[in-house]
Amino acid sequence: MFVVSDCRAMREDSELVHVPVSIDTFNSRVAAEAVWAGADMVNDVSGGLQDAAMFSTVARLGVPYCMMHMRGDFATMTQHPHTTYACVWGEVGAELKARAQAAVEAGILPWNIILDPGIGFSKTSEGNTELLGHLAAMRREQLRGVWGRMPLLVGPSRKRFIGRLTGRHEPADRDLGTAAACVAAVAQGADIVRVHNVPVVEEALRVADAVFRGTWPMYDD
C-alpha cells in the first residue's frame, strides 16, 4: 500500500522522524495500516459516514481524529440538496455535534477529536463565507459543553470560493486570499488551519494571534 510505505519511510528518515504525520482517508483499513506504519492521526473528510468501521477502528488505535463535515459523497456533494441550508452555520454545527457524539459513543476519546466544518465541501461559495463569519456562533450555539472545547480546524486554502471573491482562477494564485480567510477564521475562534503556503499564512496569523488572542511572537524590533 503506497501510503503505508510513505509513512514508514518518513519514520525511518532521521530528519522527519519527529514530524507529526496525518493520514487523510475515509477508509478504516487504510487508517489502521497507516497508523501502524507510523502516522500520528487520522483525518476523515466524511466524518465517519463513508465507512461504518471508521469510528471503532480509530477508537482502537487511540490516535487523534479530525472529523470533517460533508454531505453526500465526492460525486454528489455539490448537488443542490447537499448545498442547501436554512442556516449554514447552525446546521453544520448540529451535524458535526451529532457525528462527534456518535464517535464518542463508539469509544473515541473526546479529547482526541478535532472538528472541521468542511469549508468547500457541500457548501456554495456564499455558504462558505457565511460559515467562516459565524464559527464563533456555531461553537457557542451548537457546540456547547464538551463539544465546544474540541479544537476547531478550518481548511480554506486556495478553495474555489476564494477564487470567486478575488478573481484568481489558478489555485496557486489564491494565497493572499487564503491568508485573509485564515485570519477571519482565527478571529472567529479557529484553533488550527490547514494551508498550502505555510510561510505566507504563518506571517498573517502571527499578527492575527497578537490582535485577537494577545499572543506575541518572540521577535525583537
Side-chain angles (χ1 to χ4, degrees):
M1 193 179 296
F2 183 68
V3 70
V4 172
S5 63
D6 280 350
C7 290
R8 190 172 292 115
M10 291 181 70
R11 286 296 169 248
E12 293 173 352
D13 187 319
S14 61
E15 294 185 359
L16 299 175
V17 65
H18 298 301
V19 175
V21 176
S22 172
I23 175 64
D24 189 351
T25 182
F26 51 78
N27 182 289
S28 60
R29 182 187 170 199
V30 172
E33 293 283 349
V35 170
W36 293 333
D40 300 286
M41 66 175 288
V42 175
N43 182 77
D44 179 3
V45 297
S46 79
L49 290 172
Q50 297 296 313
D51 187 338
M54 180 62 90
F55 284 171
S56 60
T57 298
V58 172
R60 187 167 61 253
L61 294 170
V63 297
Y65 176 59
C66 181
M67 55 191 315
M68 195 190 78
H69 175 272
M70 183 175 74
R71 291 176 172 178
D73 55 31
F74 288 107
T76 65
M77 69 176 183
T78 59
Q79 295 178 5
H80 181 69
H82 296 314
T83 59
T84 302
Y85 301 83
C87 173
V88 63
W89 59 268
E91 292 176 49
V92 168
E95 291 168 22
L96 265 181
K97 178 181 176 181
R99 297 310 297 158
Q101 287 176 318
V104 171
E105 290 170 3
I108 299 178
L109 299 172
W111 50 86
N112 269 347
I113 296 176
I114 300 167
L115 301 179
D116 180 347
I119 299 294
F121 289 79
S122 61
K123 287 100 182 165
T124 63
S125 293
E126 294 78 10
N128 288 318
T129 54
E130 181 181 349
L131 182 55
L132 266 179
H134 292 83
L135 294 175
M138 182 185 75
R139 177 175 264 168
R140 183 176 62 250
E141 300 297 328
Q142 299 294 342
L143 301 173
R144 300 187 188 95
V146 64
W147 321 109
R149 291 191 289 274
M150 292 175 174
L152 191 63
L153 182 151
V154 180
S157 188
R158 298 180 178 178
K159 293 287 174 69
R160 185 175 300 174
F161 82 99
I162 293 176
R164 287 193 61 193
L165 289 169
T166 61
R168 299 290 185 177
H169 302 296
E170 294 298 324
D173 294 333
R174 298 171 185 166
D175 288 337
L176 291 180
T178 293
C182 289
V183 168
V186 168
Q188 287 288 314
D191 303 289
I192 309 167
V193 295
R194 184 192 294 114
V195 300
H196 295 85
N197 191 330
V198 173
V200 167
V201 176
E202 180 187 16
E203 190 169 325
L205 292 189
R206 285 185 181 275
V207 177
D209 278 346
V211 172
F212 299 114
R213 299 184 175 181
T215 303
W216 281 84
M218 302 301 289
Y219 291 127
D220 294 327
D221 292 336

